[in-house]
Amino acid sequence: GESVGLHLPTLSVQEGDNSIINCAYSNSASDYFIWYKQESGKGPQFIIDIRSNMDKRQGQRVTVLLNKTVKHLSLQIAATQPGDSAVYFCAETSGGSYIPTFGRGTSLIVHP
Amino acid sequence: DAGVIQSPRHEVTEMGQEVTLRCKPISGHNSLFWYRQTMMRGLELLIYFNNNVPIDDSGMPEDRFSAKMPNASFSTLKIQPSEPRDSAVYFCASSGDRGTNEKLFFGSGTQLSVL
């Protein structure tokens, strides 16, 4: 069936480096994408979202890129900090659905 | 706003016992979701309510699991009888109407251990 998946289960970076977390999706009807951050012992928290009529959206230190041609989503974190260490999930919904489909998650480890 | 509130934060019980997890969604949100998270399966949707009505319960594992939403400010997830394989973190999340706020707001979860 349709699914959302991640390329890398674990990403280790040095503090101050830029991080890129990737996500592939298979549902060509997906029209809304969200990145969540889950810190240890907490629930996932919204970071940034993007709709399918856009290919880039920027937040504070984060940028989401959407390539609909290859069904690929990425989250870029600038000047990664130890506080960015967490598991990052991409999620998508498609027209008419209220229910997001979550990927398996990527663990980001930031070394001081 | 206190966010989505779940209780208890931790629950340890013995196999066969009844377990009740509780959730208070964000005021004004009309969609509520129960998820289960394990290392093996990741985040699994168990059930989704809209305006207090169960819309999709296809993720509920079996008849041992039941969920209710008697009003807009409260929901329960019950497991009876509980089994060791039910051990997981259970999350409740809420959201507003589609088109205005589709992102989910998650509670801190209930860590369930069934011995």
Side-chain angles (χ1 to χ4, degrees), chain B residues 13-74:
Chain B
T13 191
E14 293 186 342
M15 183 174 67
Q17 296 298 306
E18 177 180 294
V19 175
T20 300
L21 310 181
R22 297 173 175 78
C23 175
K24 182 181 187 308
I26 292 174
S27 178
H29 282 186
N30 62 355
S31 294
L32 185 139
F33 305 76
W34 281 101
Y35 283 87
R36 177 172 66 179
Q37 186 176 42
T38 61
M39 288 297 294
M40 290 296 294
R41 296 174 176 265
L43 270 168
E44 299 176 277
L45 177 67
L46 300 177
I47 188 168
Y48 157 60
F49 291 88
N50 186 252
N51 291 324
N52 311 339
V53 176
I55 303 300
D56 184 346
D57 65 354
S58 59
M60 295 288 264
E62 49 199 271
D63 291 346
R64 297 185 298 107
F65 285 70
S66 63
K68 294 182 180 180
M69 192 165 185
N71 57 62
S73 60
F74 184 65

Side-chain angles (χ1 to χ4, degrees), chain A residues 31-32 34 36 38 41-46 49 51 89 93-104, chain B residues 9 31 33 35 37-43 45 48 50 56 91 97-99 102-108:
Chain A
D31 58 6
Y32 179 61
I34 311 171
Y36 289 90
Q38 185 177 22
K42 298 183 179 180
Q45 292 180 295
F46 170 87
D49 58 359
R51 297 195 181 277
F89 294 92
T93 60
S94 56
S97 173
Y98 291 78
I99 302 172
T101 300
F102 282 85
R104 291 301 302 271
Chain B
R9 282 286 276 134
S31 294
F33 305 76
Y35 283 87
Q37 186 176 42
T38 61
M39 288 297 294
M40 290 296 294
R41 296 174 176 265
L43 270 168
L45 177 67
Y48 157 60
N50 186 252
D56 184 346
F91 288 104
D97 284 326
R98 180 174 175 85
E102 295 154 292
K103 53 184 175 279
L104 270 57
F105 293 81
F106 285 80
S108 297

